[in-house]
Amino acid sequence: MTQQNNGKLGGAAKSLLTPDNCSLLLIDYQPVPFFTVQSMDPQLLINNILGLAKTAKVFSLPTVLTTVTADTFDGPMLPELQTVFPDNQPIDRTGNNPWEDERVVSAVQNADRQKIVMGGFWTGNCLALSVLSALEDGYEVYVVADACGDVSAMAHDMAIQRVIQAGAVPITWQAVMLELQRDWAREKTAGEVKEVGKQHGGAMGQAAIYAESMIPKAK
């Protein structure tokens, strides 16, 4: 067994996400991409996107929203997502790669976080190009695989494999939420996290509802 952390065992890995070491970049959740996504049920995808967004809101993560050709082709950002961030207007651009837009890069830089959590459409295009570009610029990137979508399961899977090979970390939206919370004694966010879980966590949410209903101490 190898001892680290100045000879002490235990403690959190530096690779773990925390509320003060990461930002969130959400890319192009718009009607036209939604029309073409075939890699996951669209309603489940919307559920996951909103679960991720509400998680970011709970933990006050700096969040950057983007759209592409919103007024001329792809349409407005998912309205429910805008409701989560009413004062955060998406940065609209014309190119496929958000990382080639100086406004997007500046917004991420202003967050001053080394880790970036990303989700978006399509996995193999706007999302992958952003991930690869951010990695090359020295950021640590966590790709929320179940908040991304593409024209087929193969297109999505190949894109996820590509970014993993380049150094990105795959993760799911619930894993992000639980990693940020980590300790239920952190009461400042625990209640809100449970509410997000109830709304968007599927079986996890049902388990939380059951616990609160049947076990008095869980309330």
Side-chain angles (χ1 to χ4, degrees), residues 32-201:
V32 169
F34 265 115
F35 296 159
T36 59
V37 166
Q38 299 293 320
S39 55
M40 181 186 292
D41 175 74
Q43 194 58 50
L44 176 58
L45 197 45
I46 291 173
N47 175 78
N48 296 346
I49 293 164
L50 296 178
L52 177 62
K54 290 178 182 180
T55 294
K57 189 72 173 289
V58 168
F59 290 99
S60 301
L61 299 188
T63 299
V64 180
L65 309 173
T66 77
T67 55
V68 60
T69 60
D71 295 330
T72 58
F73 184 70
D74 284 83
M77 189 175 68
L78 181 68
E80 297 93 330
L81 179 57
Q82 188 68 75
T83 299
V84 178
F85 302 107
D87 300 320
N88 189 345
Q89 293 302 309
I91 299 170
D92 191 58
R93 61 186 201 287
T94 58
N96 286 350
N97 182 5
W99 210 257
E100 293 181 46
D101 189 304
E102 292 183 358
R103 297 169 298 166
V104 175
V105 176
S106 293
V108 173
Q109 289 176 334
N110 288 340
D112 196 25
R113 308 286 175 89
Q114 187 61 29
K115 301 179 190 293
I116 312 173
V117 178
M118 291 192 194
F121 292 160
W122 291 331
T123 319
N125 186 20
C126 302
L127 185 280
L129 298 180
S130 298
V131 173
L132 296 171
S133 300
L135 287 169
E136 196 165 295
D137 279 349
Y139 286 94
E140 300 171 48
V141 182
Y142 295 69
V143 177
V144 188
D146 62 349
C148 300
D150 213 318
V151 296
S152 68
M154 178 176 286
H156 172 80
D157 292 345
M158 292 302 99
I160 293 296
Q161 288 190 38
R162 182 185 183 189
V163 297
I164 289 172
Q165 289 178 356
V169 179
I171 197 167
T172 64
W173 83 265
Q174 288 190 64
V176 171
M177 180 178 69
L178 295 174
E179 193 164 317
L180 291 172
Q181 179 62 36
R182 204 150 343 128
D183 187 339
W184 296 108
R186 297 171 181 171
E187 297 180 354
K188 182 178 179 180
T189 53
E192 291 180 271
V193 166
K194 288 179 181 177
E195 288 304 312
V196 174
K198 289 179 194 176
Q199 295 170 21
H200 300 284

